[in-house]
């Protein structure tokens, strides 16, 4: 898959490193709406220095973009009763 933004945790403007909250491949959950989940496929910088995350959400067949404060690490539901 070709990255949407091509941003890999490094601010290429020469201002130093900009660490993102989530890494590509991590499973995340949208805490704002219905706890939909998916995998981070890209991290995109914004003009204000924060990050947006391209997430391949399960069941939608398209990428959705979220601000970091709208996401949390997905909780594994395996073995739950």
């Amino acid at each position: 898959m070709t990255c949407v933004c091509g941003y890999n945790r490094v601010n290429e403007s020469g201002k130093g490193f900009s660490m993102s909250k989530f890494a590509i491949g991590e499973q995340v959950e949208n805490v704002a709406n219905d706890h939909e989940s998916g995998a981070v496929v890209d991290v995109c910088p914004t003009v204000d220095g924060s990050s947006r995350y391209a997430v391949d959400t399960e069941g939608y067949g398209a990428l959705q973009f979220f601000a970091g404060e709208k996401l949390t690490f997905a909780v594994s539901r395996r073995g739950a009763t």
Side-chain angles (χ1 to χ4, degrees):
M1 168 180 253
T2 302
C3 290
V4 177
C5 302
Y7 182 69
N8 289 317
R9 294 184 178 215
V10 176
N11 180 346
E12 295 178 5
S13 69
K15 295 180 183 176
F17 292 95
S18 177
M19 297 302 290
S20 61
K21 183 176 179 181
F22 304 101
I24 293 171
E26 289 183 311
Q27 293 294 313
V28 294
E29 193 172 287
N30 178 2
V31 295
N33 296 322
D34 299 328
H35 294 276
E36 56 197 356
S37 62
V40 174
V41 296
D42 205 4
V43 181
C44 306
T46 63
V47 294
D48 68 359
S50 62
S51 297
R52 292 270 183 190
Y53 299 90
V55 178
D56 184 5
T57 52
E58 299 167 1
Y60 288 96
L63 296 179
Q64 293 191 26
F65 292 83
F66 299 100
E69 59 270 7
K70 303 287 184 186
L71 298 173
T72 188
F73 291 100
V75 176
S76 176
R77 289 178 172 76
R78 281 190 231 181
T81 56

